[in-house]
Amino acid sequence: MAENETDLNPPEISAFSPDIRLGAPNSPEAELLQNWIETTTSTLTSAPFENNLSRVAERYPQVWVSRTRDAMQTAELRDVLHADDSLFPSLWWPKTSVVLRGDETTDLARTGADTETKGEIEIGRMHYRRYTEGDMVERSCAINTLAHEISHTLSDRADEFWMHFLDTAARDNAPPNMYQASYLVGTVAQCTWLQEQERVAENEFFDCLLTFSDPSSGSRFRSRACNDFPNDKPVTPEGRLDP
C-alpha cells in the first residue's frame, strides 16, 4: 500500500452533524461539560443509534414531529436527522452553545434562539450532576436530556434558527400511542449508550426504551425513574419505583 493511499479514500462524513459548543469554555465545569457533549453527540451519530432507530421503526411505524409537519414515517427519521428531506430542503444544524444554569437542584432543560442564526441550550446543574456523579443509568438520563435538547437545534428555515422538532405546546403533542420525535431521539440515545456500556443487552433495548419513554402514556421522558436502577438492577418498566 502506498504511503498516502488512505488519503484517496477518506471516511464518509455523516450529514447528521449537530454543531454543539461550550457556552462558557473557561468555566471550572467546562472539561466535564465538554465530555458530556462529546459523549452525547458521538452516540447520536453512531451506527448503533441508527440501528436502534430502525428497530423502533419496525414496532412504531410513525413518529410525531410538530404541528407544522404532524406525523411522519419513523423509518424516514434518519434522513431528517441527516438533513436530507425533500419536504424541508432547508434543514440544517446551526451552531448552538450549551450553558449551565442554577444549582444542583435546578431541573431545567430548554432550547431556543441565541441570535437569529445560532441556538442556545440551557441545562440545569441537576442534569450536570447526574452525568458527573451519578451511576450508569443516571448518567444515561443526562445523555437523554442533552440528546433531546440537541434534536431541537435541527432547523428548517435557511439561515435562521427555527426548530423543526417541537413538543412544548399542547398542540405539538403526539397522538396516543405515537412517539414524539424529540423524546424518541433522546431515549434511543440513552438506551444505545447503555447498550454500548453493556449495562443493557441488545435484547433488552425495548425494555430500556419503554422504561423511560412510553408512547402509550404520552412518550415524555420519565425522569423520576433515573434513580431507580442502582448497581445491576435490570432496566425495565416493572422496575420503576413510581410506575
Side-chain angles (χ1 to χ4, degrees):
M1 180 183 293
E3 184 176 358
N4 62 348
E5 186 174 335
T6 55
D7 296 335
L8 301 177
N9 297 291
E12 182 179 350
I13 299 175
S14 170
F16 185 5
S17 51
D19 193 350
I20 311 300
R21 303 166 180 227
L22 291 171
N26 297 319
S27 76
E29 299 151 315
E31 183 176 356
L32 291 175
L33 179 56
Q34 181 65 36
N35 180 274
W36 182 15
I37 291 170
E38 290 177 358
T39 298
T40 303
T41 54
S42 65
T43 300
L44 284 170
T45 56
S46 69
F49 174 84
E50 293 194 355
N51 179 61
N52 283 331
L53 268 186
S54 297
R55 296 170 67 192
V56 171
E58 294 176 3
R59 186 176 294 195
Y60 301 100
Q62 287 193 308
V63 65
W64 186 260
V65 178
S66 69
R67 65 186 181 277
T68 302
R69 183 171 195 153
D70 298 335
M72 63 174 289
Q73 295 298 305
T74 309
E76 298 173 359
L77 183 57
R78 174 196 176 277
D79 291 339
V80 171
L81 293 172
H82 281 251
D84 180 13
D85 184 5
S86 59
L87 292 178
F88 290 86
S90 298
L91 287 175
W92 66 299
W93 293 95
K95 292 178 182 178
T96 301
S97 58
V98 179
V99 293
L100 295 174
R101 302 293 191 204
D103 58 25
E104 292 186 350
T105 66
T106 303
D107 181 12
L108 170 71
R110 66 187 175 201
T111 301
D114 183 32
T115 66
E116 185 175 353
T117 60
K118 295 180 181 179
E120 181 179 74
I121 296 173
E122 297 178 279
I123 293 281
R125 283 185 169 82
M126 186 200 79
H127 304 286
Y128 174 82
R129 180 173 56 82
R130 272 183 176 167
Y131 184 77
T132 58
E133 300 178 17
D135 61 29
M136 193 171 292
V137 174
E138 289 177 278
R139 290 188 70 195
S140 77
C141 284
I143 289 169
N144 182 327
T145 298
L146 186 55
H148 170 95
E149 296 304 325
I150 288 172
S151 78
H152 285 309
T153 70
L154 179 67
S155 300
D156 59 32
R157 290 187 182 180
D159 301 321
E160 185 176 358
F161 186 91
W162 195 266
M163 292 184 284
H164 189 61
F165 296 145
L166 298 174
D167 56 40
T168 302
R171 61 183 178 273
D172 293 318
N173 288 343
N177 299 309
M178 186 182 298
Y179 267 109
Q180 195 108 21
S182 55
Y183 287 104
L184 180 62
V185 168
T187 311
V188 170
Q190 173 182 14
C191 295
T192 297
W193 184 81
L194 285 172
Q195 194 175 303
E196 292 298 287
Q197 306 307 307
E198 299 183 350
R199 177 64 172 82
V200 167
E202 185 173 353
N203 63 359
E204 297 170 333
F205 169 78
F206 281 102
D207 282 337
C208 177
L209 187 74
L210 294 173
T211 296
F212 294 104
S213 180
D214 186 342
S216 68
S217 57
S219 87
R220 291 186 176 268
F221 178 39
R222 292 176 176 265
S223 180
R224 289 184 180 180
C226 294
N227 301 324
D228 293 350
F229 302 96
N231 303 317
D232 296 325
K233 180 181 177 181
V235 181
T236 65
E238 295 76 19
R240 289 194 303 256
L241 300 182
D242 182 13

